[in-house]
Amino acid sequence: SYIKDRILENLKFKPDTPTMETARHELIRLLSNPMDTKMGECPKLLLLLDGWNEISGDTKELVQEITELSQMHGVRIFLTSRSEAAEIPFQRVSLRLLKEAEVREILAQNGILPPEQEGFFRLLCSPMMLSIYIRTALDQKKQLFITTQDQLFEQYFAAILEKERRELPENSAEYWQVEAALSYVLPELAK
């Protein structure tokens, strides 16, 4: 009942709901049917589950709960993952990579030259990587001369650090905490 409990933990209940089990039962009853609107039937709940690939451990019970919720007429689920989630019985949709002409146009609109190395340029066909590239160039207020993804991330985090520190006095604790967060905490969380 992990997902149902996350929904219930943010609700307030009437006095005639004496237990959590009663609340779960009522939630299931509520979500079993769609909502009638002027445009027809609509789900009562849209669950956006982001980052399936970040889950570790035994996912059997969570998969079972997601599957049960997805079969309710009042629920629609959108689940994202950077890797294949074969155990989830949902229709698959993949993000479309940008065409090279689109990447060149978006870079030009931002006053940014495309990278010279062809392999690195192809990396920018991913909307997320293109966004990071543009944000880094704009934050640093200069053209980027990089050739690898690692260099991009290094400059991206350096740009974030510089931007966050701009308004902070160098002798303040926050000035150094930002660097610690980016240099130590963030990599450990990502790991």
Side-chain angles (χ1 to χ4, degrees):
S1 296
Y2 179 80
I3 295 172
K4 291 185 281 296
D5 289 351
R6 297 298 70 80
I7 295 167
L8 292 172
E9 76 183 358
N10 293 300
L11 301 176
K12 293 190 186 249
F13 299 94
K14 295 179 181 177
D16 61 343
T17 308
T19 67
M20 190 58 82
E21 192 54 43
T22 304
R24 280 188 204 103
H25 177 74
E26 286 301 312
L27 180 65
I28 290 168
R29 190 182 61 74
L30 177 71
L31 298 177
S32 293
N33 298 303
M35 192 169 35
D36 288 323
T37 69
K38 292 178 186 176
M39 299 181 338
E41 292 183 345
C42 294
K44 292 177 183 170
L45 178 67
L46 174 62
L47 280 175
L48 303 174
L49 304 175
D50 185 33
W52 179 259
N53 57 292
E54 298 170 16
I55 296 173
S56 61
D58 184 9
T59 59
K60 186 176 143 189
E61 289 182 13
L62 188 57
V63 168
Q64 182 181 345
E65 183 178 17
I66 290 170
T67 303
E68 288 170 4
L69 285 168
S70 73
Q71 293 169 351
M72 294 180 180
H73 296 289
V75 179
R76 292 295 173 269
I77 299 176
F78 188 81
L79 183 136
T80 67
S81 182
R82 292 178 194 242
S83 57
E84 180 63 29
E87 64 274 22
I88 303 291
F90 288 177
Q91 176 184 354
R92 304 293 196 259
V93 177
S94 296
L95 293 178
R96 174 184 75 84
L97 292 177
L98 298 169
K99 294 178 182 160
E100 289 187 13
E102 293 173 305
V103 172
R104 290 184 192 286
E105 181 181 335
I106 293 167
L107 289 172
Q109 289 171 355
N110 285 280
I112 301 169
L113 296 172
E116 292 179 302
Q117 189 199 40
E118 189 62 33
F120 184 72
F121 179 83
R122 279 194 302 276
L123 182 69
L124 301 185
C125 291
S126 160
M128 182 184 78
M129 297 305 290
L130 179 60
S131 173
I132 289 172
Y133 188 81
I134 291 170
R135 187 172 303 146
T136 302
L138 295 177
D139 284 350
Q140 291 185 351
K141 298 181 173 112
K142 65 180 186 178
Q143 298 296 324
L144 301 178
F145 292 93
I146 55 180
T147 58
T148 68
Q149 181 176 326
D150 288 343
Q151 289 174 337
L152 175 59
F153 285 139
E154 188 177 299
Q155 287 200 22
Y156 174 65
F157 291 125
I160 290 173
L161 179 61
E162 182 181 322
K163 186 177 178 183
E164 290 299 317
R165 284 182 159 177
R166 222 172 268 147
E167 303 295 321
L168 297 170
E170 189 173 338
N171 61 352
S172 71
E174 291 85 5
Y175 185 89
W176 298 104
Q177 289 170 350
V178 170
E179 183 174 359
L182 279 172
S183 300
Y184 301 105
V185 178
L186 182 62
E188 192 60 32
L189 287 173
K191 183 179 156 190

